[in-house]
Amino acid sequence: MNRFGRVVLLAMIPVNLLLIAWVWFGRVIFGVGGWFLLLGLLVVVPALLLTLLTTTVLAYTQAARPRHLTTHQAVAQVLVWFCLFTWGLFQPDFGDTKDSELSFLTQITGERSRSLLDASYTLTGFSIFGAALAWLLLLGYLVFARQKVEPQHWAPLGAPPASPAAGR
């Protein structure tokens, strides 16, 4: 059994839920809050719930016993988590006034410059792209792992078991 894969599998549900909340609300800790909180709640949170629920269900219903992720699956999941964390950290937000654009970078430096906002948008874009790519990779690993499992050949009660070649 892969210990790393087991730990990542057991952490999937709580860490996924925590990171969904982080992407939606996390930057408020740094004083960055605005209209994205509403937009995120209506669009981003449901999308993340659906996508992460899909891979979590696939991961927990794998045939491996004891349940664990392969190393590739676990690394892909950790990459998803890293990208979601950076997305939630660097996501700029906006308000009702012209100068209300804020980001983590503008808050920690105390400077409201276009270059810091552009850097925040760039880092957010890379994080979203990276999260999507890592999630697709994880989804692929989970789906292809299911195809490697040999189907079981069932025989009626009392009949001798069929050979695997008999079903072809």
Side-chain angles (χ1 to χ4, degrees):
M1 180 181 73
N2 183 343
R3 183 168 167 75
F4 174 60
R6 177 83 174 146
V7 170
V8 172
L9 178 73
L10 293 176
M12 277 180 91
I13 294 172
V15 174
N16 283 346
L17 291 173
L18 183 66
L19 285 172
I20 289 170
W22 173 257
V23 167
W24 172 54
F25 196 79
R27 64 200 169 285
V28 170
I29 295 169
F30 303 103
V32 179
W35 281 106
F36 188 76
L37 291 174
L38 178 62
L39 295 173
L41 182 62
L42 297 175
V43 177
V44 175
V45 169
L48 286 176
L49 276 171
L50 183 64
T51 56
L52 295 176
L53 178 66
T54 301
T55 49
T56 302
V57 168
L58 286 172
Y60 271 90
T61 58
Q62 291 188 98
R65 296 289 187 264
R67 295 191 200 291
H68 67 282
L69 297 176
T70 66
T71 302
H72 294 314
Q73 293 168 346
V75 168
Q77 179 64 64
V78 170
L79 285 172
V80 169
W81 290 340
F82 175 76
C83 292
L84 290 177
F85 177 78
T86 58
W87 175 4
L89 183 65
F90 292 112
Q91 173 72 48
D93 215 333
F94 56 93
D96 293 334
T97 62
K98 184 180 178 184
D99 293 335
S100 64
E101 273 189 301
L102 296 172
S103 74
F104 169 73
L105 294 177
T106 61
Q107 293 296 86
I108 63 167
T109 62
E111 176 186 339
R112 291 192 185 191
S113 70
R114 191 74 235 167
S115 62
L116 286 175
L117 285 170
D118 288 344
S120 295
Y121 281 112
T122 302
L123 289 168
T124 301
F126 280 127
S127 297
I128 293 169
F129 180 74
L133 195 61
W135 181 82
L136 286 171
L137 185 66
L138 174 61
L139 181 65
Y141 284 142
L142 290 168
V143 168
F144 288 121
R146 288 183 162 308
Q147 294 179 359
K148 291 181 183 177
V149 176
E150 288 291 322
Q152 295 194 6
H153 300 281
W154 297 95
L157 188 62
S163 68
R168 294 182 193 176

